[in-house]
Amino acid sequence: AQSVTQPDIHITVSEGASLELRCNYSYGATPYLFWYVQSPGQGLQLLLKYFSGDTLVQGIKGFEAEFKRSQSSFNLRKPSVHWSDAAEYFCAVGPSSNTGKLIFGQGTTLQVKP
Amino acid sequence: ETGVTQSPTHLIKTRGQQVTLRCSSQSGHNTVSWYQQALGQGPQFIFQYYREEENGRGNFPPRFSGLQFPNYSSELNVNALELDDSALYLCASSPEARGNEQFFGPGTRLTVL
């Protein structure tokens, strides 16, 4: 079955501290992987994506993610968190074809302490 | 460049009624996908439209239907509303041949009483 698991429902970090959000996926074919961020009452903003090539991908707002095929993981990282990063983060997996059914995880809520 | 827009922002309906939600895709995008996001959950894929044809459907009953117009805007129609249909409905558009690269609108919050 195709699925995405985000093991941490809620994470709290101090401003300036590093961040890692975990994502594990189960997908039969070669996956395309995404991280989105959602602020309260807003839609989803694409942070970064992995299709192929270098397994460390850079995104917007200083985020990066590493694809590890052997662990079926695509963890999101940021070296130094800012208060404005507080939001909900979603990992998603999709097909390599043009049919765009994305499968999302349940999300991780990030709280940033001053 | 105009992003994805959705209307209305909020909507309140009663059980059994019908609702239509609208989405305008980003300039240059010809593929539109719809998702339902219940409170505290990740988005769930409803269906996708490509060049006015349905191009994939998730596990939603037939009372969820859609349309895409020649200008690539789209509608989501839900008949016989149920309380569980209360959710944020998200529309996403994609460029040609890149249906899995999705750019989301702000969503429509539907409340069914």
Side-chain angles (χ1 to χ4, degrees), chain A residues 15-38:
Chain A
E15 190 169 15
S18 64
L19 171 70
E20 182 170 29
L21 302 182
R22 296 183 290 164
C23 172
N24 294 98
Y25 67 89
S26 173
Y27 202 76
T30 301
Y32 281 16
L33 294 155
F34 307 84
W35 275 99
Y36 285 88
V37 61
Q38 186 177 38

Side-chain angles (χ1 to χ4, degrees), chain A residues 37-51:
Chain A
V37 61
Q38 186 177 38
S39 298
Q42 302 294 313
L44 302 174
Q45 182 182 22
L46 180 64
L47 284 176
L48 48 77
K49 62 191 178 192
Y50 172 77
F51 287 173

